[in-house]
Amino acid sequence: MRQKIQEDQKRTEGLAMLIKFIKLTSRLHPITMATRHLTSSPLTSDDLWLSSSYKFFLPTPTRWMDNDLFGHVNNTAYYSYFDSVINRYLIHHCHINYDIIRGFMVQTQCEYRRPLQYPDVPVVGMFVRRIGSSSVTYNVGLFPSEVLKNVSREKDVIQIMSEGVFASELNRTDDTEDISALAIGSCVHVFVDTQTNKPTPLPDNLKAGLQKILGSVESRL
């Protein structure tokens, strides 16, 4: 009992630290947020800019080196954020074995609306749009850190930063306001056999993990 109380206290303290961090980064570089009530209607291209369209989120701190001469994060860094979050999801939630199979990124696209600058801590949202026999198409969005303000108290800061948060853990309600993305994109992985570098069927563990964040959208990306 005492150990459980201590664990609950650590979670509460960790979440309090995360909330303070979110407020701090918001003050450092305030970002205008468009809002809209959640909906269960079929997704359209416009919905890609809204946080409720995404199934999984992971904070991705910017780095000093990401800033360019114009004082904001260079557009090429966004692709690094997307790639890192996708692979972290594959490791933690699909249990991919890179000794057997690996994903080659064969297509990436991104649209930008608002800039980032160090030391912002944006959150990458993602969902899977299509699962093929050996390929996967992802939709990704880069959001302000406020997107995680309603995260469940079951998660501590270390878990959030390393494993991310599923949309079901955000305590959303019908009155929850949507947050607008700073940028959105799409990525396509083709998975290959590590030994031959030839396309290979997705293993069951990979498909099971990807299906957890499968969505549908009419996308121009």
Side-chain angles (χ1 to χ4, degrees), residues 1 38 49 58 74 122-123 158 177 199 207 215:
M1 177 64 73
L38 302 187
W49 293 95
L58 182 72
N74 189 270
V123 176
I158 295 177
E177 293 179 337
K207 288 190 287 188

Side-chain angles (χ1 to χ4, degrees), residues 17-110:
M17 289 174 59
L18 179 64
I19 292 169
K20 287 181 180 179
F21 194 55
I22 288 172
K23 290 180 179 178
L24 174 61
T25 56
S26 299
R27 290 198 300 268
L28 286 170
H29 185 48
I31 299 170
T32 302
M33 295 182 294
T35 60
R36 186 191 66 120
H37 290 304
L38 302 187
T39 175
S40 57
S41 303
L43 295 176
T44 66
S45 294
D46 289 339
D47 290 312
L48 289 173
W49 293 95
L50 302 171
S51 58
S52 61
S53 300
Y54 293 80
K55 308 288 188 180
F56 176 79
F57 299 89
L58 182 72
T60 306
T62 55
R63 305 167 298 176
W64 174 253
M65 65 180 292
D66 294 341
N67 274 10
D68 60 20
L69 294 176
F70 299 105
H72 58 68
V73 171
N74 189 270
N75 60 326
T76 57
Y78 289 62
Y79 291 100
S80 175
Y81 302 154
F82 295 155
D83 203 10
S84 295
V85 171
I86 288 170
N87 278 282
R88 188 172 286 269
Y89 185 86
L90 295 177
I91 292 168
H92 283 289
H93 302 289
C94 298
H95 310 293
I96 188 171
N97 185 346
Y98 287 117
D99 292 330
I100 298 174
I101 189 172
R102 64 182 59 171
F104 287 167
M105 197 67 77
V106 299
Q107 184 181 43
T108 57
Q109 293 176 283
C110 190

Side-chain angles (χ1 to χ4, degrees), residues 8-9 11 15-16 20 53-54 72 80 85 88 91-92 105 107 110-112 117 119 130-131 150 153 157 168 180 187:
D8 291 342
Q9 184 177 2
R11 287 197 188 95
L15 285 170
K20 287 181 180 179
S53 300
Y54 293 80
H72 58 68
S80 175
V85 171
R88 188 172 286 269
I91 292 168
H92 283 289
M105 197 67 77
Q107 184 181 43
C110 190
E111 292 184 19
Y112 308 88
Q117 68 182 46
R130 179 181 178 276
I131 301 175
N150 293 323
R153 294 187 177 274
V157 174
S168 58
S180 184
C187 308

Side-chain angles (χ1 to χ4, degrees), residues 192-210:
V192 302
D193 182 284
T194 302
Q195 300 300 319
T196 65
N197 279 341
K198 293 183 178 180
T200 187
L202 301 178
D204 290 340
N205 60 300
L206 196 58
K207 288 190 287 188
L210 293 169

